Amino acid sequence: MESQRIGTTAEWEARIGRSIRELRQRANLTQAELAERSNASLSAVRYLESGKGSSLATLVRVVRALERTEWLEALAPPGPSISPIALLRAQQDGARRATRRIRHGRARPRPA
């Protein structure tokens, strides 16, 4: 790990590129082999490793091919414990039930 703080986009691209290259080399893969495994082009892998930019899709493919999905999981926001849509529907259902109770709560004469 680098002790200095990385701030610019170019610095992050370079750091990620170095990390990808190190992982690839530790896995004893050539750039061509990694490109094939990740279903990315060889030039995309080269650009990624050199820190010259790449698409998000290429980054995800390469990270998955190198079995480092924890990188991706670290970027993903935690999922909600309760779905906002489910919460809204539950509130709407509760409001409908309360309305029904009011309407049907009065004693009505039964038809004969």
Side-chain angles (χ1 to χ4, degrees):
M1 281 257 180
E2 296 176 12
S3 59
Q4 64 187 20
R5 183 176 169 93
I6 296 176
T8 68
T9 300
E11 290 169 332
W12 275 108
E13 287 177 326
R15 181 178 179 187
I16 290 168
R18 285 190 302 273
S19 295
I20 295 291
R21 182 180 306 114
E22 289 171 13
L23 288 170
R24 176 185 57 79
Q25 290 171 341
R26 278 191 231 147
N28 293 318
L29 295 171
T30 65
Q31 287 179 331
E33 290 168 331
L34 179 57
E36 186 177 327
R37 282 189 184 190
S38 62
N39 195 27
S41 69
L42 178 57
S43 62
V45 171
R46 286 181 178 154
Y47 278 118
L48 182 61
E49 285 190 6
S50 68
K52 293 181 181 173
S54 186
S55 72
L56 180 58
T58 298
L59 177 62
V60 170
R61 287 181 185 130
V62 167
V63 167
R64 289 181 67 212
L66 292 170
E67 298 179 357
R68 294 304 293 253
T69 55
E70 69 273 8
W71 286 8
L72 303 174
E73 291 165 1
L75 294 173
S81 57
I82 299 174
S83 163
I85 298 297
L87 183 60
L88 177 63
R89 286 183 181 146
Q91 289 173 343
Q92 290 172 341
D93 288 346
R96 278 189 224 125
R97 282 190 210 112
T99 303
R100 287 183 194 144
R101 275 187 247 131
I102 292 170
R103 285 187 202 151
H104 300 295
R106 296 184 200 155
R108 286 196 245 167
R110 288 188 156 177

